[in-house]
Structures are given as C-alpha cells and as structure tokens.
Amino acid sequence: LRKVGERVMAKLRVDIERNIFFQSSKFWDKYKSGDLISRLVNDSTVVTKSVTQNVSDGLRSTISGFVGIGMMLTISVKLTGYMFLIFPVLVFIALVFGRRVKKVSREIQHQLGSLTKVSEEQFSFVKTIQSFNNENYEVAKFQKEVKKLYDLSIYEGRLNGYFYSGNGFIGNTFL
C-alpha cells in the first residue's frame, strides 16, 4: 500500500509543479515562491502520509475492532451491550476534537508556508540585509514565525493528548 501511495504522490507532485509553471503572471504576482515551495513540499507530504500511513492504520484498526467485538460477544453479550452504550459519546467526542485538530492542522500548514516564505525572502536578499546590518532584525522575524509554528504544534499535541486520555478515561470509567 505504501509503494502505491508513494507512486501516486510522486505523480501528484510533478503534476502540481507542471500546473504551477503554466499559471498567468497575475498568479505569480499574488503568490510568493516560498509559499508555493512550501505547498509543494509540505502539503504533498501530508497527503502522502494520509494516503499511506493513515489508510493502512484505518484498515488495521477496523479489522482489530471487528475481531475485538467478536471476542467480546463470545465472552459476554451483556457486557458488550453495555460497551455499545458508550459508543455514541465517544463518537461525539471524536467529532468535536477531530474538527479542532483539522483546523489546527490547516493553521500549521499555513504557518509552515509563512515560515518558508520568510526564509526564502531573507535568503534571496541576504546581501541587502547584510549591507544595512539588519541580520538581527531578520533573525528575530524568523524566530517570531518559528514561535507561531511551535505554539500551534504544541496546541495540536495537547488536543490529541486530551482526546486520547479522555477517551481512555471514559472507556475505563464506564467499565
């Protein structure tokens, strides 16, 4: 599955590159090259991960779920029924946290684009920056963008931690 996913993503990256090159001059005025590079590299990496890792994880989890339900039914139908009572609560929690994580993930991708854009502009004009002795200002500007990315990533990690610990707590408490 991974080989197929990687092949699809390699073709997708080439197609995106081809489409970017054939855009009008208005497009090139609107979008900075750093943002486009970030989109080409980072966004396609996220899609690659979704196609390869997440699909295989989903298949494995589905199979494990059916096997687990079968084993629980074999052991105790009544206990399995009680477990299914909590299922809607867990689905609701998953939907709420899933939407939040998706929003934060998009913000992280946007911030990665901003970070790439800033560094690309800085590297493109490094001689001008040095001639005006502005290195510290530019480093601080880059550091500010890195801090935004760091804060978003930490927030995403907290959301994931709250989700998994909350689901585990609810599941264990219900038993």
Side-chain angles (χ1 to χ4, degrees), residues 19-33:
N19 287 332
I20 288 173
F21 272 122
F22 289 104
Q23 295 298 319
S24 68
S25 58
K26 286 182 181 181
F27 175 85
W28 290 101
D29 291 338
K30 185 176 180 181
Y31 297 103
K32 301 283 187 187
S33 59

Side-chain angles (χ1 to χ4, degrees), residues 146-166:
V146 169
K147 175 81 168 99
K148 288 179 189 175
L149 180 62
Y150 172 81
D151 290 343
L152 285 170
S153 297
I154 293 299
Y155 180 63
E156 183 185 37
R158 283 190 181 132
L159 283 177
N160 283 327
Y162 294 149
F163 171 71
Y164 288 114
S165 62

Side-chain angles (χ1 to χ4, degrees), residues 25-45:
S25 58
K26 286 182 181 181
F27 175 85
W28 290 101
D29 291 338
K30 185 176 180 181
Y31 297 103
K32 301 283 187 187
S33 59
D35 194 33
L36 296 173
I37 291 167
S38 173
R39 295 288 181 186
L40 182 65
V41 174
N42 296 325
D43 290 359
S44 60
T45 301

Side-chain angles (χ1 to χ4, degrees), residues 56-115:
S56 65
D57 287 349
L59 287 172
R60 186 174 354 143
S61 296
T62 302
I63 292 169
S64 295
F66 282 124
V67 169
I69 289 170
M71 293 170 68
M72 287 184 344
L73 285 170
T74 304
I75 294 172
S76 172
V77 175
K78 187 176 181 180
L79 182 59
T80 305
Y82 286 130
M83 289 296 295
F84 280 122
L85 289 176
I86 199 167
F87 188 71
V89 174
L90 296 177
V91 168
F92 175 75
I93 292 171
L95 289 174
V96 170
F97 275 93
R99 286 187 184 127
R100 285 187 182 172
V101 169
K102 185 177 181 180
K103 181 182 174 201
V104 172
S105 294
R106 282 189 181 138
E107 291 174 11
I108 287 173
Q109 287 302 310
H110 178 72
Q111 187 58 34
L112 275 169
S114 297
L115 184 67

